[in-house]
Amino acid sequence: MTVERTYLEAIRDAMAEEMARDENVFIMGEDIGAFGGAFKVTDGLQAQFGESRVIDTPISEAGIVGAAAGAAHMGMRPIVELQFIDFISCAYDMLTNYVATARYRAFLPCPMVVRGPSGGYVRGGPFHSQNPEAAFLHTPGLKIVYPSTAADAKGLMKAAIRDEDCVLFFEHKYLYRRVKEVMPEGDHVVPIGKARIAREGTDVSIITYAATVWRALEAAEQLAAEGISVEVLDLRSLLPMDDEAIQATVRKTNRLLIVHEDTRTGGIAGEITARVSETCFEWLDAPILRVTAADVPLPYSPPLEDYVLPQTSDIVRAVRRLVAY
Amino acid sequence: MTVERTYLEAIRDAMAEEMARDENVFIMGEDIGAFGGAFKVTDGLQAQFGESRVIDTPISEAGIVGAAAGAAHMGMRPIVELQFIDFISCAYDMLTNYVATARYRAFLPCPMVVRGPSGGYVRGGPFHSQNPEAAFLHTPGLKIVYPSTAADAKGLMKAAIRDEDCVLFFEHKYLYRRVKEVMPEGDHVVPIGKARIAREGTDVSIITYAATVWRALEAAEQLAAEGISVEVLDLRSLLPMDDEAIQATVRKTNRLLIVHEDTRTGGIAGEITARVSETCFEWLDAPILRVTAADVPLPYSPPLEDYVLPQTSDIVRAVRRLVAY
Amino acid sequence: MARAGTSPARSKATSVAKSSRPSDALSREQRLSLYRYMRLTRVLEERLVALYRQTKVVGGLFRSLGQEADAVGSAFALEQRDVLSPLIRNLGAMLVKGATPLEVLRQYMAKGDSPTRGRELNIHFGDTEKRNFIGQISHLGDMVPVMAGVTLSFKMRGEDRVGLVYIGDGATSTGAFHEGINFAGVQRCPLVVIVENNGYAYSTPTHKQTAAKQFVDKAIGYGIAGVQADGNDVLAVYDVTKEAVDRARRGEGVTLVELMTYRRKGHAEHDNQSYQPPSEIEKWALENDPIDRFVKVLREQHQVTDEEFASIEAEIVALIDTATDEAEASPMPEPTDALVGVYADPAVIPPLWFRESVRSAVDSNERPASWGTYDG
Amino acid sequence: MARAGTSPARSKATSVAKSSRPSDALSREQRLSLYRYMRLTRVLEERLVALYRQTKVVGGLFRSLGQEADAVGSAFALEQRDVLSPLIRNLGAMLVKGATPLEVLRQYMAKGDSPTRGRELNIHFGDTEKRNFIGQISHLGDMVPVMAGVTLSFKMRGEDRVGLVYIGDGATSTGAFHEGINFAGVQRCPLVVIVENNGYAYSTPTHKQTAAKQFVDKAIGYGIAGVQADGNDVLAVYDVTKEAVDRARRGEGVTLVELMTYRRKGHAEHDNQSYQPPSEIEKWALENDPIDRFVKVLREQHQVTDEEFASIEAEIVALIDTATDEAEASPMPEPTDALVGVYADPAVIPPLWFRESVRSAVDSNERPASWGTYDG
Ligand SMILES: Cc1ncc(C[n+]2csc(CCOP(=O)(O)OP(=O)(O)O)c2C)c(N)n1
Ligand SMILES: Cc1ncc(C[n+]2csc(CCOP(=O)(O)OP(=O)(O)O)c2C)c(N)n1
Ligand SMILES: [Mg+2]
Ligand SMILES: [Mg+2]
């Protein structure tokens, strides 16, 4: 197959392949059946796999996530679609208290995937643009992935479905139809917990994930013209985090910029900084810097949203400062 | 008044004084009325202020927090007691999406306090020992305080009740009856956003908050005997954070250990590390280290809980390592 | 689930005695006002559709076509001091409460002088200073606990005020709805909860939302009054809401009002309604349009003339024309306004160091070619 | 709210025809088994009280005194393959499902060989491999959605299995209860939801929990069957649960069963019950103890003799004595076991570098004097 698949199609393909492979895999969510979901990620799946494996649910995020956990205990492998990831907040208790602890406190397996459209740059306003990954980072028992490419979206989805624990699968809605590529052949599985070098470089490292990987690559391209060689590390998995890859790039370039779309305070950049500070202190030739969203609820109007979210020019400016340090 | 008041009594006193001062202040929560709450923090308040100002509610954390917001919009100043802070997860959506954004997106004032017994060291198991502060750190619009002393508990509670925005007030249940002191005279208000130097020192800084302040002080005492001078900064407020005080202590000692009771990954130490790395890189003579809980749901049995939570000896060991660096 | 073209106005728990309906007290002028608000809603939404097609609306557009009676008739039962909490399909209720077409247009166009200064979208805005309606958030159900608290404060202060909150058939499945209505029930808050049963939640028909036969059946489980009415009969809506409002005002607590109606457009403008049988939509449009039905009543019972209808129409169109011009001329927000007002103190967040020049950043990064093609 | 000493077994939606009750089919041996489980529950809890006073129990102790019939009678209606989700006052149900006193004692003493290896407290444990009951979490309401999912999986796989979940009167106020029961209702999951109405949630009486007159009234709002019974009559409990289980097994969906009972002890052992009128407690103890009531039935209708009762008692005491000795002799967990099993992969978390010697850290830091005096 040499046709290109979008990020969105790649996710759908992964689910379809896994559902065909394992009859325990099923999907639940709001409007995901005949309608195919608000973004059409599950389009056609109910026609292919039937109403009992692609289930339209009531508007009950906690209920759906809890039900997924119960089914998972019994050997099923549920995938939950949240119509927008912003509604994961309604299932926060169920995920962090029930699901995340099930194996540890009760030896209950809880293999399930919770997925949904995340992120901004689409004029979605404060409740249709969120990046809630940091809220789950301090919950042992969960795994978190957030792909930036179509191939990773597919490979990580397959890994998430096969994982024995709960994986929060964040999908960036800005990338749904904007990025596409020819899929790797065969049973393409990307292991959870492994980062990806999106661009090699020698002067400065940028660690990032999801939509801002593309912003970082754009910045790297612009900076190359100035003679600055930037390495871009796409984390792909946020929990567990690929410490080896993080350390390798920092020890190689000695300068680190962390970029994420979430708000600055309490965002995941903090955790990365702490890990790097602990393990690579001697290798650092400059402070670790962060380019992130400003600390406000994400506003809707384009000039406001653009001002709040990280832009390519911000990254360029931050890298220049690191190099000049 | 030269009688000592416990941390718990200090919180009660603060609420009582504010309720007497401002008739808009009222309290809602489960079993807080005649019964006085699971920990007796509101003991006597219903007798003093009546049933309409100390309200027993159904078991509905989202409902109570949402109702508090609505009343706050109308000019009331609600205080919500969560029976254990672990149940704040059930109000996660309401707090992060509704309450935190109210002023920004709709110019709706939301002056309210959400408080509850937090933290471990009491054999409470995974659901009665949590430190959920990190989950709220990346939510602009909320404020977070977590006192370690009785006087601060009182002064911060008064500040929280008077604040024009929502303050999450974490109370460490291990400290409720274990720490006490004579209260400062008069209308004792501790400003939100200001840290406190709990012990001055010159060799190493420990930044911490809540129960581990006492562990840090114990460690400092032990280390003093070895000739190591430790400065302990008690953050008191986590959001906003006192950057000035953080920078001052790091620039003074050039070595930083961050201690918190929450799990390591995704805990607040990450954010502190990032801020210090950005602003004090040149002043650092050693890596920033963290002493935290291990990344597991907090287990119940004493040997397990003690193994998972940070202990004084851990802090001693970490400081020694920083000094030896 | 095929729905009947008309829904009988069944009422439970309390019954609307036909002999003396609250709406009997409405003057001819008030009735014309009800009509005007319904038309204003519809014409304004139609204008928004036109602007949407011209890509002047930023983001999605939500219609209440065929549900105007439910929003307008219910809000009309409130006094100005009463607080209303609207949802996305309650534009009509907001207009009754005093929201202006200009505000709505600016809001949909993301303008800097919109009621939320461009921070929130569509009709997510409010005014608790004068007109007393509250800006909703997207998370369904959350407004119910909030309104429980709003009305609790009325009770605590002995204020003669009532609250009204809407909830969709779909949103009744949320935990927030349950916690809020139960809380209000226990506290006997002066609150009216209107379940707008329009047959669908996005693509999900009611029978996939709940096994309950009707939403009014939920009232007894909360120990509150419950009543059901024809949501497309504006006077019936007014009647049941007014009775519920009066009950609340008398200190008799919460009423759940189920209004039977139908969503004739998609969930939002981009939704092709593939899941709604076309015949079903058509039947409701032909036989049960709330405006058509009320026109008939006005003509037959109140002798309203063509001239009168035409003059109302002219006034509405002129109002919306002017508002459209004004809204289009409104400026977009200043980027740095994004940093203002997260907290009362500090009132402004300091800008991030790496953001030197906003406009240039925006200009040079908006949809760059390297991000791939965007197909919609 | 003073509660009557006896609650009439009203039943709604379905009625238990007195002529043929499911319990008619119970053998004499099975009836003695019901009795034994109730006594086992009570004697085991009494043993726990003794151990609690000796400070051998780590943490709180929760009693089901006076509610044994509700737990035992309902669980008895399940087959082994059916899955039960107990709460803190359902020790009896867990024993019926096969939990052993030894497990319970080890669990309460935080031992390393307890069913959760010391990770969770009291009766928060389960076994989904053989005995089919699920370990609860503290967050009230959450088990309802979980059991909706457990039973959904039975339906999806065509398995002939049923689920049973308990919910307290207080916990019905949670959003999770609402979302879970509504979901199960729509999916017609083979699930029985038992509302244990024991009059209080901690200190909160039922009328502050909900304005509903009775919890069975909530059933119609979910479109499910609802039935109410005397929770202190073990056979009545068995009857209504068995009928609900059979209904679920036939594919007829969810039943809400309200069992009327009374919490004769405090919320937990340390709670002095100041909010419960002593006369109320006494009345229930004297007139409506579920074991006393059943003893009467067994004596009068089944001619159970003093000797038989005594021999059951002796067996129970011996069992618990042995279990107590064994549990006391059990080791505490190894500290490093805390790092095992958060994930399937990685199975073990690496230890934190600063933790060299665990025991010494624990020893030297447990309640140091500098932390102030601890009065409780
Ligand atoms: C908690 C939550 N989950 C999901 C959504 C996404 N969503 C927005 S509107 C909608 C359907 C609402 O249906 P209903 O309540 O019947 O209102 P209607 O649109 O019919 O007026 C959904 C699922 C949401 N806004 N909030
Ligand atoms: C979500 C949540 N909120 C609060 C609590 C604290 N809590 C534990 S038990 C309890 C009372 C429960 O009452 P009820 O449901 O009637 O059960 P009972 O104890 O009477 O059996 C409360 C408030 C909790 N466990 N979970
Ligand atoms: Mg609807
Ligand atoms: Mg109870």
Side-chain angles (χ1 to χ4, degrees), chain C residues 169-170 196 198 200-201:
Chain C
D169 47 286
E196 292 182 282
N198 64 2
Y200 292 88

Side-chain angles (χ1 to χ4, degrees), chain D residues 37 80 92-101 103 125 127 131 133:
Chain D
Y37 280 122
Q80 205 217 291
M94 289 168 68
L95 294 169
V96 170
K97 266 301 204 177
T100 67
E103 288 178 305
F125 70 93
D127 169 14
R131 296 169 292 176
F133 59 101

Side-chain angles (χ1 to χ4, degrees), chain B residues 38-106:
Chain B
F39 284 86
K40 301 287 173 199
V41 179
T42 59
D43 204 23
L45 296 183
Q46 190 178 69
Q48 191 177 348
F49 297 103
E51 280 200 44
S52 78
R53 291 182 70 193
V54 183
I55 303 175
D56 282 317
T57 66
I59 304 174
S60 307
E61 285 76 12
I64 306 165
V65 167
H73 295 338
M74 299 292 111
M76 304 298 293
R77 294 197 167 254
I79 302 170
V80 170
E81 169 170 313
L82 299 172
Q83 197 157 87
F84 284 81
I85 206 71
D86 309 61
F87 307 127
I88 200 171
S89 54
C90 302
Y92 188 78
D93 164 52
M94 198 58 86
L95 282 166
T96 60
N97 287 307
Y98 189 85
V99 171
T101 65
R103 179 180 299 280
Y104 188 73
R105 70 177 159 78

Side-chain angles (χ1 to χ4, degrees), chain D residues 88-345:
Chain D
I88 196 72
R89 284 184 227 295
N90 302 118
L91 173 59
M94 289 168 68
L95 294 169
V96 170
K97 266 301 204 177
T100 67
L102 178 56
E103 288 178 305
V104 173
L105 287 159
R106 281 178 173 154
Q107 189 73 7
Y108 262 112
M109 292 188 217
K111 294 303 176 98
D113 52 7
S114 79
T116 65
R117 299 197 334 221
R119 289 152 189 221
E120 255 281 33
L121 26 74
N122 55 58
I123 58 170
H124 286 205
F125 70 93
D127 169 14
T128 49
E129 309 257 300
K130 294 209 191 81
R131 296 169 292 176
N132 296 311
F133 59 101
I134 289 202
Q136 64 187 284
I137 70 167
S138 297
H139 291 68
L140 295 169
D142 284 8
M143 300 313 296
V144 181
V146 170
M147 287 302 291
V150 164
T151 52
L152 178 68
S153 80
F154 299 159
K155 208 187 101 182
M156 291 172 84
R157 289 172 159 173
E159 291 176 352
D160 176 25
R161 298 171 77 185
V162 165
L164 189 162
V165 62
Y166 298 95
I167 187 96
D169 47 287
T172 61
S173 299
T174 61
F177 162 75
H178 174 72
E179 296 197 1
I181 196 169
N182 183 59
F183 180 102
V186 174
Q187 287 294 331
R188 295 180 76 81
C189 293
L191 180 64
V192 179
V193 179
I194 295 195
V195 179
E196 293 183 283
N197 184 350
N198 63 4
Y200 292 88
Y202 211 144
S203 76
T204 306
T206 306
H207 71 276
K208 287 192 177 179
Q209 199 63 242
T210 179
K213 291 212 181 50
Q214 45 186 3
F215 290 92
V216 71
D217 286 346
K218 292 181 180 288
I220 188 173
Y222 299 109
I224 59 177
V227 51
Q228 194 186 54
D230 179 347
N232 283 16
D233 173 346
V234 70
L235 295 179
V237 171
Y238 175 82
D239 286 335
V240 288
T241 313
K242 186 66 167 59
E243 288 192 325
V245 164
D246 290 347
R247 189 175 306 126
R249 232 186 270 292
R250 289 193 305 268
E252 293 166 23
V254 184
T255 305
L256 184 157
V257 178
E258 178 179 11
L259 297 179
M260 307 305 292
T261 182
Y262 186 80
R263 204 194 70 206
R264 272 159 52 193
K265 284 287 174 183
H267 173 63
E269 199 58 22
H270 63 261
D271 166 9
N272 68 7
Q273 299 177 273
S274 52
Y275 47 87
Q276 281 170 287
S279 62
E280 185 181 274
I281 302 173
E282 210 172 303
K283 196 167 161 62
W284 279 83
L286 287 177
E287 297 173 17
N288 205 351
D289 181 82
I291 300 184
D292 291 352
R293 281 177 66 183
F294 196 46
V295 164
K296 203 153 174 271
V297 171
L298 290 175
R299 279 195 203 283
E300 290 173 9
Q301 290 171 28
H302 304 280
Q303 290 73 46
V304 176
T305 62
D306 283 351
E307 289 67 38
E308 282 179 288
F309 285 123
S311 105
I312 290 172
E313 205 66 12
E315 178 262 329
I316 286 173
V317 171
L319 178 66
I320 292 175
D321 280 347
T322 313
T324 306
D325 292 345
E326 229 176 305
E328 292 206 49
S330 283
M332 293 303 271
E334 273 311 304
T336 49
D337 187 55
L339 303 179
V340 179
V342 177
Y343 297 98
D345 174 26

Side-chain angles (χ1 to χ4, degrees), chain A residues 86 88-90 92-93 96-98 100-101 104-105 126-127 130-141 238-239 241 262-267 269-271 273-275 277-279 281-282 284-290 294-299 304 308 321 325, chain B residues 86 88-90 92-93 96-98 100-101 104-105 126-127 130-141 238-239 241 262-267 269-271 273-275 277-279 281-282 284-290 294-299 304 308 321 325:
Chain A
D86 308 62
I88 201 170
S89 54
C90 302
Y92 187 78
D93 163 52
T96 60
N97 288 307
Y98 189 84
T101 63
Y104 188 72
R105 71 177 159 78
F127 308 114
Q130 293 176 0
N131 284 291
E133 62 274 13
F136 296 93
L137 193 69
H138 84 134
T139 304
L238 304 176
L239 189 65
M241 227 179 245
D262 190 13
T263 46
R264 187 172 192 76
T265 298
E271 178 62 28
T273 308
R275 288 173 184 229
S277 171
E278 281 161 357
T279 55
F281 182 70
E282 315 240 324
L284 285 173
D285 289 343
I288 300 166
L289 297 182
R290 295 182 283 182
D295 285 339
V296 304
L298 191 64
L304 301 176
V308 172
R321 177 160 148 192
Y325 191 89
Chain B
D86 309 61
I88 200 171
S89 54
C90 302
Y92 188 78
D93 164 52
T96 60
N97 287 307
Y98 189 85
T101 65
Y104 188 73
R105 70 177 159 78
F127 309 113
Q130 293 177 2
N131 284 291
E133 62 273 14
F136 296 93
L137 193 68
H138 84 135
T139 303
L238 304 176
L239 188 65
M241 225 178 245
D262 191 13
T263 45
R264 186 171 191 76
T265 298
E271 178 61 27
T273 307
R275 288 174 183 228
S277 170
E278 279 161 358
T279 56
F281 181 71
E282 315 241 328
L284 285 173
D285 289 343
I288 300 166
L289 297 182
R290 295 182 282 182
D295 285 339
V296 304
L298 192 64
L304 300 176
V308 171
R321 177 159 150 192
Y325 191 87

Side-chain angles (χ1 to χ4, degrees), chain A residues 5-11 14 145-157 169-172 174-184 188 190 196-199 208-214 217 232-236:
Chain A
R5 302 295 279 166
T6 63
Y7 183 97
L8 184 150
E9 289 162 342
I11 293 165
V145 302
Y146 204 164
S148 73
T149 69
D152 282 352
K154 180 170 185 184
L156 283 169
M157 178 54 80
F169 192 99
F170 295 96
E171 304 168 3
H172 205 294
Y174 187 92
L175 303 180
Y176 266 159
R177 296 182 167 86
R178 284 187 180 80
V179 304
K180 53 184 168 191
E181 65 190 295
V182 175
M183 289 295 125
H188 173 58
V190 173
R196 172 182 75 93
I197 295 184
R199 179 185 174 114
T208 186
Y209 57 91
T212 46
V213 168
W214 298 95
L217 289 173
V232 178
L233 189 75
D234 175 1
L235 281 179
R236 305 198 288 199

